[in-house]
Amino acid sequence: VMERVIDEILVQSPNVMVSSRQVTRGLVLEGFGVLFTFDAGLHGELPFGPGRYVVGGTEGLKFLRERDREAAEKIQQQYEEQEVLSLEEWETKSAEERAKRLEGLETELVDTLLDYGPTLGELQDDAWVAIVAFLDGRSPFGSEGPGQMTVKVKMRDLRRFASGSLSRQDAKAAVTVQTH
């Protein structure tokens, strides 16, 4: 059930793109607890791909999204009126967007653990409930950020939160998040 919950969170997420509606895999590890994994992309809207064109100019790069090349060429004639980004500006903007998406994904995964983790009633109090996201958000220009995010919490903290003896803020503080 938890796999389906995580899948639905990912499908609806504005922070990641997943390849299907069933990307989450869960397994119980003796002596650890339960581990859920998935693959997702953080790249969002890239300037390349079907229907996207890069229009070059002396001042930098211009990213356009058009249905056909003729329309893109007409817009190229209005180049001076369009937003132009240098490669450095585009890389900076891309890194900022990736950081924003990572932060959003972290919030989504922490909230998912707190809201749905207590339903894993068969786990012992000292067991971990962990989600590992394998992220693909490579830039076409070679710059990368973290490729993995791990979010985990002890079952005892999830139960304390569900019973009301731990505030949401304190429960969030009990969640460990690592990116690398």
Side-chain angles (χ1 to χ4, degrees), residues 56-81:
T58 58
E59 298 175 11
L61 300 174
K62 163 79 178 119
F63 302 110
L64 303 174
R65 182 180 183 151
E66 292 297 329
R67 294 196 180 270
D68 61 73
R69 187 172 294 279
E70 284 181 12
E73 289 171 355
K74 287 179 184 176
I75 290 177
Q76 184 176 6
Q77 294 171 359
Q78 302 167 352
Y79 181 70
E80 295 299 321
E81 299 171 15

Side-chain angles (χ1 to χ4, degrees), residues 23-165:
V23 295
T24 307
R25 299 290 176 255
L27 60 142
V28 177
L29 299 172
E30 191 71 32
F32 176 80
V34 66
L35 175 68
F36 298 96
T37 67
F38 65 87
D39 294 316
L42 281 174
H43 46 75
E45 291 281 332
L46 288 178
F48 305 111
R52 295 182 181 97
Y53 300 92
V54 178
V55 179
T58 58
E59 298 175 11
L61 300 174
K62 163 79 178 119
F63 302 110
L64 303 174
R65 182 180 183 151
E66 292 297 329
R67 294 196 180 270
D68 61 73
R69 187 172 294 279
E70 284 181 12
E73 289 171 355
K74 287 179 184 176
I75 290 177
Q76 184 176 6
Q77 294 171 359
Q78 302 167 352
Y79 181 70
E80 295 299 321
E81 299 171 15
Q82 305 298 317
E83 180 184 1
V84 177
L85 297 176
S86 69
L87 179 59
E88 293 80 18
E89 290 170 326
W90 188 88
E91 286 177 328
T92 300
K93 195 173 187 178
S94 180
E96 289 169 358
E97 180 65 24
R98 182 178 173 84
K100 181 180 164 187
R101 287 177 185 271
L102 273 171
E103 184 178 316
L105 176 62
E106 177 181 327
T107 298
E108 290 171 337
L109 295 179
V110 168
D111 288 343
T112 299
L113 282 178
L114 295 180
D115 295 338
Y116 299 100
T119 64
L120 299 166
E122 68 277 3
L123 296 175
Q124 299 296 321
D125 277 349
D126 64 340
W128 288 101
V129 179
I131 302 173
V132 178
F134 295 95
L135 306 168
D136 179 22
R138 294 179 296 250
S139 165
F141 302 107
S143 60
E144 288 188 38
Q148 183 179 325
M149 177 184 288
T150 303
V151 181
K152 67 180 183 175
V153 65
K154 287 282 190 178
M155 193 66 202
R156 100 175 28 87
D157 294 322
L158 292 175
R159 287 190 174 112
R160 289 178 52 214
F161 172 66
S163 71
S165 65

